[in-house]
Amino acid sequence: MRRFLFFVSCFGLFALIAITYAWLAFSPHIGHTDHVSSSSLGCREDNEGSWSIGVFYGDSPFTLKPIETINVWRNESAAWPVANPVLTCVSLTNSGFPSNFVAGPFLYVQGDTLYMFFENKNPIAMQGDIGVAQSTNKGATWKPLGIALDEPWHLSFPFVFNYNEQIYMMPESNQIGELRLYRAVNFPLTWKLEKVILQKPLVDSTILHHQGNYWLFGSDHSSFGQLEIWYSATPLGPWKPHKKNPIHNGARNGGRAFLHNGNLYRVGQASSESYEKKIRIYKIEVLSKEEYREVQVPLDLETAHKGQHSWNGVRQHRLDVVKLSSGEYIGLVDGDRVTSGDLFLRVFLGYASLVAAITVVVLLGFLLGILNCIVPSTWCINYYKGKRTDAVMNLKTASFVSEQLRRMCSRLNRVPPFLRGLVKPNSTFGRLTLGLLLVLGALLTCVGISYIYGGSGAVLPYTFKGHASQFTLATMTYDARLWNLKMYVKHYSRCPSVNEILVIWNKGPPPELTELDSAVPVRIRVEKLNSLNNRFNIDPLIKTRAVLELDDDIMMPCDTIEKGFRVWREYPERLVGYYPRFVDETMSYSAEKFARSHNGYNMILTGAAFMDVGFAFGLYQSEKARLGREFVDEQFNCEDVLLNFLYANVSGLGKAVEYVRPSLAIDTSKFSGVAISGNTNDHYRKRSKCLRKFSDLYGSLSDRIWEFGGRKDGWDL
């Protein structure tokens, strides 16, 4: 009974710690899959990764930039601008085609319509099907059309091409040891097997036409991925092997070969299972029936520097680049934020940590004298009782093995008394040791829960209608707060949807850009006057519609920032922020606690708020706001209060603000001693004065209140 109570108490304590830690550390992944329900079959974690597909453009197939740098805007998906990835498991799942990930894209162009064929990881069969999506706006948005090809075995790498006015697809089918060619019967969704062109388990196979022959490049899966070349007079065969097969050990195809300026190029990839970060391009210098020679050439495929917080920050392995009728090149690239096997590794480490925590509990039992032995002696004595030995094992051997087992058990059972002799629970050292063991067990439990429940650690954007976008992060600061700024830039530049950081420099010499560790471009705008109104100066260099005005002394998790951006994309006409306030008829400024006591708010502080750059800045700099701006300069305060009154004045009785509750917010100015509003009483007095002034100028806010918890996402509680 004593042992039972001990184990129940210890495991109960660790279970409580685990539940509390999971509740505090891991918010529900609402919105990560654009409200794909938890019961949906799609967008589940997959051990192969979390692949998605992005679009790139360029004047050359060797210099490609992601779509967000082109600044394409799409109102229907609230993407200002459209950002990669443009096709994800969300896109397929929400269209009725469950998917764990999409990868291996190939383009087929018909006039102004683009078709994308890709591997779709079916979460039911847990194998690849070939999906197809359509774009009529040059790749900015894609409409999933369905599954083009589904076989009882795994399919991937859907190489699509024209021959004799017919459309063919040659997907990978190495599981059945064949390379098959399919012909479109009703393009793009209906295909018929034309013929098996090779009885080999080739992977990542492509065909190119050169000097009167068709050349098939593929890697033999049974020979550790060695590249082979075959040639024929037609894509239908018969195919003959190249004289020097295998050509190149491990250099698998990474996409369609292409012709540029009279030269042939082959797209390659790394040979490892997890794939390397950069796709390779090889210039084919010699291609004949007797010889083959290629050399690697540079490829400038612009990628983010946000690591696993970027959709392709860890690896990418497919590129299909095609020249459009406009002369511009478009490239489809798949990317992943985790390595292959990441899920298995996390689960293994998680359960290993929990086993280690159980071991700590057992050790505690030894030290407290509750457990006296590791292996019950009866297990050793009775091990051979009633067992028949093998014919070749005589009784003497059995007796010897039994004796060795008993000796081992005896040595193990000496451990508890030995440990208790070293660590006496009644001594100060003993109590300290026991306490440290409890802490170690708790830490191991939290580590285990983190690996099992916490995901890969990557922060994902919260898409809207299946599409991603980006915003500009703006902060106003001066020379005495450089320490804050450095930490601010390093942290927020890694958030998935941050496009650029704008630093509004109000006073003192600005820092060099090299002093700031940033994963995105940083622009410092030096102001002539030290005015809080500078925060909302019209800036034509801002490329995004959304701007997050965020004070440099506020540190929040990227996940919280992404939630706010997702809400703003749904309500772009409103101020969306993290610090709510309620203004009543007394016109006295109060903290958030006052708003909570009234279960509502009517103002959002713009020191941490998303807004429409054109609307908000234009409104603030308008003639209507002139008297308000002058009062802000007079008080050196309240620019955020003024913008709230202006929004409310324009919106009439409609809602002008939205609240998003931060999971964590830290005021770093407390550590640097350079807080702008250090004297709270004086700060509140000035802001109360602003409330009365702006009420006279633009109308009162006290006649409106918006309750907490009014949205379905649950982020405004």
Side-chain angles (χ1 to χ4, degrees):
M1 187 64 181
R2 187 183 175 202
R3 294 177 182 175
F4 174 76
L5 290 176
F6 168 74
F7 283 113
V8 168
S9 299
C10 288
F11 292 139
L13 174 63
F14 287 171
L16 179 62
I17 291 172
I19 293 170
T20 304
Y21 173 70
W23 178 69
L24 292 174
F26 310 119
S27 59
H29 297 285
I30 302 172
H32 274 188
T33 53
D34 200 17
H35 302 295
V36 170
S37 68
S38 59
S39 61
S40 170
L41 290 172
C43 293
R44 301 296 178 89
E45 279 198 291
D46 196 291
N47 199 49
E48 289 188 73
S50 59
W51 296 94
S52 52
I53 297 171
V55 173
F56 290 69
Y57 301 97
D59 296 328
S60 158
F62 309 105
T63 307
L64 299 170
K65 297 182 181 296
I67 189 171
E68 51 265 28
T69 64
I70 309 301
N71 206 27
V72 177
W73 288 24
R74 285 292 177 269
N75 292 332
E76 63 273 13
S77 58
W80 309 290
V82 175
N84 281 327
V86 295
L87 194 73
T88 66
C89 66
V90 178
S91 314
L92 271 292
T93 302
N94 282 351
S95 298
F97 313 106
S99 171
N100 274 0
F101 63 73
V102 292
F106 278 90
L107 264 175
Y108 187 83
V109 182
Q110 278 190 340
D112 293 330
T113 303
L114 306 180
Y115 294 93
M116 181 200 303
F117 293 86
F118 52 90
E119 174 192 346
N120 173 59
K121 180 64 177 291
N122 187 314
I124 302 172
M126 290 304 290
Q127 66 180 28
D129 302 327
I130 304 302
V132 60
Q134 179 189 63
S135 175
T136 56
N137 51 20
K138 212 171 70 172
T141 57
W142 295 84
K143 177 184 177 183
L145 299 179
I147 303 302
L149 193 60
D150 182 8
E151 297 282 19
W153 53 86
H154 173 79
L155 298 171
S156 62
F157 207 82
F159 174 65
V160 182
F161 64 97
N162 263 324
Y163 176 68
N164 282 352
E165 299 183 352
Q166 298 289 324
I167 304 173
Y168 293 91
M169 182 196 300
M170 188 175 66
E172 176 189 313
S173 302
N174 80 84
Q175 278 190 357
I176 59 171
E178 296 178 349
L179 184 60
R180 294 179 153 217
L181 192 65
Y182 295 82
R183 180 172 53 85
V185 177
N186 186 15
F187 185 84
L189 286 173
T190 307
W191 299 77
K192 177 184 177 182
L193 176 64
E194 185 72 9
K195 69 179 300 184
V196 176
I197 58 177
L198 280 176
Q199 292 284 350
K200 282 182 72 71
L202 291 183
V203 298
D204 304 340
S205 302
T206 63
I207 295 175
L208 65 90
H209 185 243
H210 176 64
Q211 293 182 350
N213 284 312
Y214 287 86
W215 303 84
L216 190 154
F217 289 71
S219 297
D220 190 335
H221 190 263
S222 63
S223 303
F224 305 101
Q226 296 183 102
L227 182 67
E228 296 183 358
I229 298 178
W230 302 68
Y231 60 91
S232 172
T234 77
L236 304 180
W239 293 92
K240 298 178 181 179
H242 194 277
K243 183 179 179 180
K244 291 195 174 181
N245 279 345
I247 299 297
H248 193 291
N249 187 18
R252 292 170 55 174
N253 286 321
R256 183 195 314 266
F258 60 89
L259 185 69
H260 180 67
N261 290 341
N263 295 313
L264 280 175
Y265 295 90
R266 186 176 72 86
V267 181
Q269 59 169 309
S271 59
S272 66
E273 284 298 317
S274 60
Y275 304 112
E276 132 181 312
K277 190 166 184 175
K278 277 195 173 183
I279 295 166
R280 300 169 177 173
I281 299 289
Y282 298 92
K283 180 182 178 182
I284 300 175
E285 295 185 327
V286 177
L287 175 58
S288 68
K289 296 177 182 179
E290 294 79 23
E291 296 290 334
Y292 180 78
R293 187 170 67 249
E294 65 180 21
V295 60
Q296 187 174 343
V297 296
L299 170 64
D300 183 10
L301 187 64
E302 187 174 306
T303 56
H305 303 284
K306 302 181 182 184
Q308 62 180 352
H309 298 329
S310 175
W311 68 278
N312 63 342
V314 171
R315 55 181 180 157
Q316 46 194 18
H317 75 326
R318 296 283 190 270
L319 165 66
D320 189 31
V321 59
V322 173
K323 189 175 184 179
L324 300 176
S325 58
S326 62
E328 183 181 25
Y329 285 87
I330 180 173
L332 296 180
V333 179
D334 61 2
D336 198 357
R337 61 181 74 247
V338 297
T339 58
S340 181
D342 176 75
L343 177 60
F344 175 81
L345 178 62
R346 284 189 281 113
V347 170
F348 173 78
L349 292 175
Y351 283 108
S353 299
L354 294 181
V355 169
I358 293 172
T359 304
V360 169
V361 173
V362 174
L363 181 58
L364 280 169
F366 292 153
L367 295 177
L368 292 171
I370 296 171
L371 300 177
N372 296 314
C373 62
I374 295 176
V375 182
S377 58
T378 54
W379 290 9
C380 304
I381 295 171
N382 296 330
Y383 182 77
Y384 285 99
K385 186 177 181 180
K387 290 193 175 186
R388 296 178 60 185
T389 58
D390 191 87
V392 297
M393 179 179 283
N394 56 36
L395 291 175
K396 185 175 180 180
T397 304
S399 176
F400 173 78
V401 173
S402 181
E403 179 63 26
Q404 293 300 313
L405 185 60
R406 281 198 298 270
R407 287 183 179 180
M408 185 182 69
C409 294
S410 177
R411 291 191 184 101
L412 287 173
N413 288 337
R414 291 173 192 163
V415 172
F418 173 73
L419 290 175
R420 283 197 293 272
L422 290 177
V423 182
K424 298 178 180 179
N426 294 328
S427 67
T428 302
F429 177 72
R431 286 192 291 269
L432 179 61
T433 302
L434 294 175
L436 290 175
L437 284 174
L438 276 173
V439 172
L440 177 61
L443 287 175
L444 287 170
T445 301
C446 292
V447 169
I449 293 300
S450 177
Y451 276 120
I452 295 170
Y453 183 71
S456 64
V459 178
L460 280 66
Y462 290 79
T463 59
F464 181 66
K465 296 184 178 179
H467 293 85
S469 188
Q470 293 187 337
F471 63 88
T472 298
L473 182 62
T475 189
M476 188 164 60
T477 190
Y478 60 102
D479 53 357
R481 297 164 67 93
L482 182 58
W483 177 82
N484 292 63
L485 180 65
K486 288 182 177 180
M487 185 166 53
Y488 176 100
V489 168
K490 183 175 182 179
H491 171 65
Y492 288 118
S493 67
R494 271 75 180 176
C495 295
S497 300
V498 174
N499 178 280
E500 179 190 39
I501 295 178
L502 169 63
V503 179
I504 304 164
W505 197 260
N506 260 7
K507 186 175 68 174
E512 297 292 332
L513 292 179
T514 54
E515 296 182 55
L516 305 175
D517 179 6
S518 180
V520 299
V522 177
R523 180 164 59 92
I524 300 177
R525 193 181 77 204
V526 180
E527 300 291 350
K528 295 179 180 179
L529 298 174
N530 183 15
S531 169
L532 296 181
N533 289 320
N534 292 337
R535 183 191 293 274
F536 304 118
N537 281 345
I538 294 173
D539 189 339
L541 296 181
I542 294 176
K543 302 171 185 176
T544 63
R545 181 177 175 183
V547 167
L548 171 59
E549 290 281 358
L550 186 62
D551 289 345
D552 65 334
D553 55 7
I554 296 175
M555 295 296 289
M556 290 188 284
C558 285
D559 184 68
T560 295
I561 298 299
E562 294 295 330
K563 287 178 180 176
F565 185 43
R566 168 63 176 79
V567 173
W568 179 85
R569 290 180 67 191
E570 192 169 356
Y571 306 103
E573 73 284 358
R574 301 174 187 174
L575 289 173
V576 177
Y578 304 94
Y579 293 97
R581 297 292 186 265
F582 178 62
V583 180
D584 64 6
E585 60 278 357
T586 66
M587 296 297 158
S588 296
Y589 184 82
S590 302
E592 182 177 339
K593 187 176 180 180
F594 184 71
R596 293 288 177 182
S597 68
H598 287 74
N599 192 35
Y601 60 98
N602 50 21
M603 189 165 71
I604 289 291
L605 300 188
T606 60
F610 284 92
M611 60 197 70
D612 182 324
V613 62
F615 177 74
F617 289 16
L619 186 61
Y620 194 90
Q621 298 299 332
S622 67
E623 178 61 25
K624 177 191 291 188
R626 180 176 57 81
L627 295 178
R629 294 196 303 273
E630 291 174 356
F631 195 75
V632 167
D633 280 334
E634 179 185 321
Q635 299 296 315
F636 202 73
N637 204 319
C638 304
E639 81 286 357
D640 52 347
V641 177
L642 173 58
L643 189 61
N644 273 270
F645 273 89
L646 294 172
Y647 260 75
N649 179 269
V650 171
S651 65
L653 297 177
K655 192 174 183 180
V657 292
E658 286 288 346
Y659 168 61
V660 176
R661 183 169 188 164
S663 59
L664 177 68
I666 300 174
D667 183 356
T668 59
S669 67
K670 306 297 184 187
F671 308 104
S672 61
V674 289
I676 293 177
S677 53
N679 188 324
T680 302
N681 291 333
D682 184 57
H683 179 61
Y684 278 32
R685 180 184 57 78
K686 284 185 176 182
R687 293 174 85 79
S688 296
K689 190 175 180 180
C690 291
L691 291 176
R692 292 189 289 272
K693 178 68 173 180
F694 297 154
S695 294
D696 292 339
L697 290 174
Y698 308 110
S700 176
L701 295 179
S702 61
D703 57 348
R704 60 183 72 202
I705 182 170
W706 312 106
E707 292 186 358
F708 293 105
R711 292 196 313 272
K712 293 181 180 180
D713 54 40
W715 297 337
D716 60 342
L717 295 173

